[in-house]
Each structure stands twice: as C-alpha cells, then as structure tokens.
Amino acid sequence: LTLELGGKSPYIVFDDADLDSAIEGLVDAIWFNQGQVCCAGSRLLVQEGIADRFYAKLRRRMDGLRIGDPLDKCIDIGAVVDPVQLQTITEMVAGAAGETYHARIPLPERGCFCPPTLITGLSPCGRWMQEEIFGPVLVGTTFRTPSEAVQLANNTRYGLAATVWSENLNLALDVAPKLAAGVVWVNATNLFDAAAGFGGVRESGFGREGGWEGLLAYTQPKTRTRPLKKIDAVPAPADASGDGLDRTAKLYIGGKQARPDGGYSRPVWSARAKLLGHMPLGNRKDIRNAVEAARGAAAWARSTGHLRAQILYYVGENLSARADEFASRIRDLTGATLNTARAEVETCISRLFTYAAWADKYDGAARGVPLRGIALAMNEPVGVIGAFAPDDAPLLGLVSVMAPAIAMGNRCVLVASEPYPLAATDFYQVLETSDVPAGVVNILTGVHAELAPHLAGHMDVDAVWSFSSSEMSGVIEREAAANIKRTWVNNARGRDWTGAAGEGREFLAAATEVKTIWVPYGE
C-alpha cells in the first residue's frame, strides 16, 4: 500500500529571489487546476523585506489571469469540481481573519467559478494556514530568517511538497533538507518525471510514485517464511520459592535506567526452573516518556554517517568483550545449548558491524530527468521508530531491529522479547558504555499486546515495526492510521533471524524516506 494524500505545501520566497520568476511559478503552483492539486503551493512564505513589493506584483499578476471555459486554450483558470466544493471554498474565505484580495477579473455567469484569492495577515496556527482549502486560494505570511522560514514551513501535519526560491543555491540547498516534505523544488514548481519519486511524509502519506523507490512498496524479497507461533514465557515451577536475591531489571529511557511507572513486574524463569530475575512491566506512561526522550534526541538525525558508523562499531566491540556473559544469559533464558547461544551473540556482533558499514554507504542518487538540472533522491531517516522485537531471538532480534534504524539516523523505542526480556536489559549496559547519545535507543519490556495500541497510536511516533509472535498486526495498523504513520508488521509470518532474511536492504529501506530535491540550473 502507498498513500499519496493531501498537503498544505509551503512556497518559500527569499529576498534574493528572482521575483518575477517566483510569481510565475506561484501562479502554476496554486492556480493550476484551480488549486485542486494535492501538492498545490497554497502557503506563501515571503521574506519580510520584500513582502510588500512581492504582494503588489502578485496582485497585479492575479488581475491578469483569465477565468472561464477550460476547453478554451486562452483560459488560465476553469471551474472548481462541483457546487459543494465551491460553497466550502466560499465559506472558508468569508470566515478568514486576515486581509483578503480577490482578483479583479470578471466571472462567467454560469458555472462553479471562484476567483483567484490571496489572504494575508493570518496566524501561522490558524485554520486557513493549516487546512487544505483545495481551491484557488493562496494564504500568505512573512518570515525574517531562514530558520524561521523552516519552522513556519514545517508547522503543519502535512508534508507532501515544498518550493524554495533563492538565487543563492547554498541557501536553497541548506533549507531543502530541513523541510518536512517528500519533494522539494528549487526555483521551480510542479516538476514531475517517472524517473524521480513523488510522495509525502506525515499525514500526506507514505511510499513513492516513480523512481526505483516507487517499486519497493509493490515488491518483496524472495525469502522463505514460516508460520509464527506464539512463544510464551516459561511458567513458574510448582515448587517455586521466593528465596534468593530479588533482581528486578529496569527500563532504559533517555540514556538512563528507569523504574516502570506502574511499579509492576513479573518473574522470569529459566528453562531449568531457575529464577533469573524480574521483568518490569511497562505501560502507556513509560511509552510516553520513551517517545519524549527519542524526540529530544533529534540531533542524531543530523549526525554524519561516519559518526553513526563509529558508534555502532563501538557497540559491537563492547558486546564482543562480554560475549561469554551474554551467551550464558541466552542459554539460561531459552534453554539453548551454549554453542547455539554463542552463535547468536556472534551474529549480533556481525550484524552491528554490517550496519556500521552501511551507515555512510546507503546513499541517494541523481535521477536522470528531462530538464537542465538534476533531481536528487536523498535518503533521510523516518524519525522515531517504535519496534516490537521478535520473541524467539532475545538478543539477535533486538539488535537486528535496532541497528539498521539507528544506522540511518532514526531514534528507537524498542519493546524487548516478551518471554526472554533479560537479554535486552543486559544489552543496555553495553549501550551505556558505547557513546550512544541519550534518547537514541530506548528499551521497554512488558506484554506486547498491551503496549501495541499505545505505541502504534502515539502521534509523535513516525513508524511502527512488529516482529512479535503475538497476534497484534491488525491492532497496530488500525491505531497507526490516526496520523498515517508507516507500519511494517509480520502478518503471522516469521523469519530466520540468523540468516539473510534477518538483515539487508529491506531493513534499510524501511528505516528511510526518500526526499526528491529538484534543482534546475542555468540562467
């Protein structure tokens, strides 16, 4: 499934832009198809120093537009789709709090015609700046600095397209990656080609149309899968005793060990009926705290691939130094042989090194598009990824989900294996000594089916992965629909985490969004 949905696309004009060209581009951006285009540049952000001059030029250009029968090739603007939409547009314009300017052009006597309209002086959080009007209505405001322009542009729940006008290419290419949009046009608008991906982020949808990335959503690797079977925790033996040291593990939130909000835990028994400790039972508040910590680690997304690679190498080296300890823990938890447990730890180390190598090599491409310019397909992190680790591989499953996500610059809220959680609570000791910034990796434990609705429904989570053996794929997909977040769920199919199916480009693609930046060149 791919979803290309609505948008409230920003059209940013800096004070060094070619104003006449920017206005012609704006005419195409907002009044093409009467503004009934998902990627219409309906939010004008113009730098304060040139705002009055730009608005004057724009009003003069609006007065020169021709409205009428769209079958007439001399006509610029036709009718909107139906009377209901015309009434919606009219009511929204009538209720606008700012200064409204209608183009001074005659309207046909019959038909659903709406004049080109400019509304200025609106609050950035107002309805007209936030909601898609889907008509020939442009709303505008001003900004002072490039950082303020980015802040205003991203102040929406949508993220389909954006336009940047500046003769300073350094400025344009500095701003473009900071915009929450799947497509950014520099000194142009409405450029499309089958070779370049088109699509959005946030509530503008997910997936891409066009480009190699446009094929990914409709393909899947040829791998053998097996039916998933629910793995339950080892039950307490009949002669269980409360003697001995009561060790209760902690959650790992914001780089610190934290007690669960509810204060509850459950015992974890080994396959040999030995009490190994207690697993904290996370709840909705713990998820909220973990997501908040992940959001606070946004600088990780801006770090270099080289830095992320070095930290992943460091994690792998520190895990290697404690390999025997982790192998013993896995053996006690699962009842596997020591050799099998050692093999799992060695695969974890190998996987960390693999994704460390990928961190600065899973890069973008320049698409061959038919214009004097280039379309850059840039891989960007998805954001905050919530993930339920597989139950059958207590350490390897956690590492296999975590490593590709943070290698690509994401922050994680990981829910450890439900029956064998203590391998994960041991692993955060490795993270603490490996220079992983606080909030980049957060580890919770608890009942997957209880945590799934809260993690999938959290509005600050950008994607949810589930490889759990619990039957909760439907719950995750349903809850994730609230803000159109991406989901990657097992749908009752398991995978061999020790083999090729447990790593590779499939994970890297799930951990990235492709942003297409169109850069025409030439005077």
Side-chain angles (χ1 to χ4, degrees):
L1 172 69
T2 57
L3 294 174
E4 192 271 277
L5 304 175
K8 192 70 174 174
S9 301
Y11 192 97
I12 306 171
V13 182
F14 287 97
D15 57 9
D16 63 346
D18 178 346
L19 298 191
D20 292 327
S21 295
I23 285 174
E24 289 306 311
L26 186 55
V27 169
D28 186 41
I30 180 58
W31 290 305
F32 171 66
N33 276 357
Q34 298 75 247
Q36 298 170 129
V37 180
C38 294
C39 60
S42 54
R43 279 192 303 147
L44 172 62
L45 308 178
V46 57
Q47 199 153 14
E48 200 170 79
I50 60 166
D52 291 341
R53 186 154 57 101
F54 189 85
Y55 286 149
K57 284 177 172 284
L58 178 58
R59 293 188 185 103
R60 190 159 57 246
R61 183 67 179 90
M62 290 169 62
D63 292 341
L65 295 172
R66 292 160 293 189
I67 189 167
D69 184 354
L71 296 180
D72 184 344
K73 294 185 182 296
C74 296
I75 291 299
D76 298 310
I77 298 176
V80 297
V81 66
D82 60 31
V84 174
Q85 181 62 14
L86 178 61
Q87 181 179 357
T88 300
I89 296 169
T90 303
E91 289 175 354
M92 287 196 70
V93 170
E99 179 182 344
T100 302
Y101 181 83
H102 299 288
R104 296 171 181 172
I105 53 178
L107 298 182
E109 294 182 0
R110 298 180 60 188
C112 300
F113 292 97
C114 182
T117 302
L118 170 66
I119 306 175
T120 56
L122 296 170
S123 166
C125 61
R127 176 189 178 194
W128 302 266
M129 292 289 287
Q130 295 290 327
E131 293 186 15
E132 186 178 27
I133 300 174
F134 217 66
V137 180
L138 175 67
V139 296
T141 190
T142 61
F143 66 89
R144 295 183 179 88
T145 64
S147 59
E148 186 182 3
V150 170
Q151 188 176 14
L152 289 170
N154 291 340
N155 182 31
T156 173
R157 66 183 188 272
Y158 296 109
L160 185 54
T163 302
V164 178
W165 282 85
S166 172
E167 290 297 287
N168 182 347
L169 198 56
N170 287 328
L171 173 61
L173 294 182
D174 177 52
V175 168
K178 299 175 182 177
L179 298 175
V183 180
V184 179
W185 294 295
V186 175
N187 292 335
T189 195
N190 283 352
L191 299 178
F192 305 97
D193 189 73
F198 176 81
V201 297
R202 294 180 172 177
E203 293 190 30
S204 290
F206 50 77
R208 296 293 179 264
E209 300 170 1
W212 284 107
E213 56 272 23
L215 300 176
L216 287 177
Y218 300 99
T219 61
Q220 64 183 31
K222 285 187 175 181
T223 55
R224 291 188 176 183
T225 59
R226 51 185 171 76
L228 267 177
K229 294 182 180 179
K230 181 73 171 74
I231 300 176
D232 294 315
V234 177
D239 57 347
S241 171
D243 296 339
L245 183 64
D246 181 6
R247 293 191 173 187
T248 301
K250 305 295 189 294
L251 307 177
Y252 186 62
I253 299 175
K256 299 177 182 178
Q257 298 181 33
R259 289 181 173 83
D261 173 71
Y264 293 102
S265 64
R266 71 163 174 81
V268 179
W269 297 90
S270 76
R272 297 173 179 84
K274 175 185 175 183
L275 181 61
L276 300 176
H278 285 72
M279 173 186 80
L281 295 174
N283 63 15
R284 178 170 54 185
K285 176 111 182 313
D286 297 312
I287 287 177
R288 189 192 73 182
N289 293 341
V291 173
E292 184 178 339
R295 280 287 171 193
W300 181 250
R302 301 188 295 271
S303 63
T304 64
H306 175 75
L307 173 64
R308 297 195 294 269
Q310 294 305 307
I311 290 177
L312 279 167
Y313 282 130
Y314 197 12
V315 174
E317 291 166 359
N318 286 338
L319 178 59
S320 178
R322 298 177 58 181
D324 290 342
E325 176 188 341
F326 276 89
S328 297
R329 173 67 96 177
I330 293 170
R331 179 196 59 186
D332 291 341
L333 284 167
T334 65
T337 66
L338 188 57
N339 286 338
T340 301
R342 282 174 174 161
E344 179 172 339
V345 178
E346 289 301 320
T347 305
C348 289
I349 297 167
S350 172
R351 202 143 286 174
L352 287 163
F353 275 55
T354 295
Y355 287 115
W358 272 115
D360 57 357
K361 298 177 184 66
Y362 188 69
D363 48 17
R367 304 301 190 197
V369 290
L371 83 159
R372 290 194 64 204
I374 53 176
L376 303 174
M378 311 292 289
N379 287 324
E380 295 187 334
V382 172
V384 175
I385 297 178
F388 292 87
D391 291 327
D392 52 343
L395 183 61
L396 179 58
L398 185 87
V399 169
S400 298
V401 171
M402 177 204 76
I406 67 173
M408 295 296 101
N410 299 285
R411 292 90 72 201
C412 298
V413 177
L414 304 174
V415 183
S417 165
E418 186 176 331
Y420 313 125
L422 299 186
T425 57
D426 289 347
F427 181 70
Y428 62 56
Q429 299 168 9
V430 175
L431 299 177
E432 287 177 321
T433 57
S434 302
D435 292 344
V436 178
V440 171
V441 178
N442 304 275
I443 299 176
L444 307 179
T445 58
V447 180
H448 286 190
E450 293 179 3
L451 297 177
H454 306 300
L455 186 56
H458 199 297
M459 299 297 281
D460 277 340
V461 173
D462 301 296
V464 180
W465 300 353
S466 175
F467 303 103
S468 172
S469 66
S470 299
E471 294 182 4
M472 56 192 199
S473 296
V475 172
I476 289 173
E477 291 179 328
R478 184 167 57 251
E479 294 296 327
N483 67 339
I484 323 294
K485 62 171 65 70
R486 288 170 58 174
T487 60
W488 186 18
V489 294
N490 52 35
N491 286 319
R493 293 179 300 177
R495 64 176 67 213
D496 178 11
W497 290 98
T498 63
E503 65 178 358
R505 286 180 175 269
E506 183 183 14
F507 289 83
L508 297 170
T512 53
E513 295 276 13
V514 176
K515 173 180 284 184
T516 305
I517 302 177
W518 291 74
V519 188
Y521 50 73
E523 287 193 317

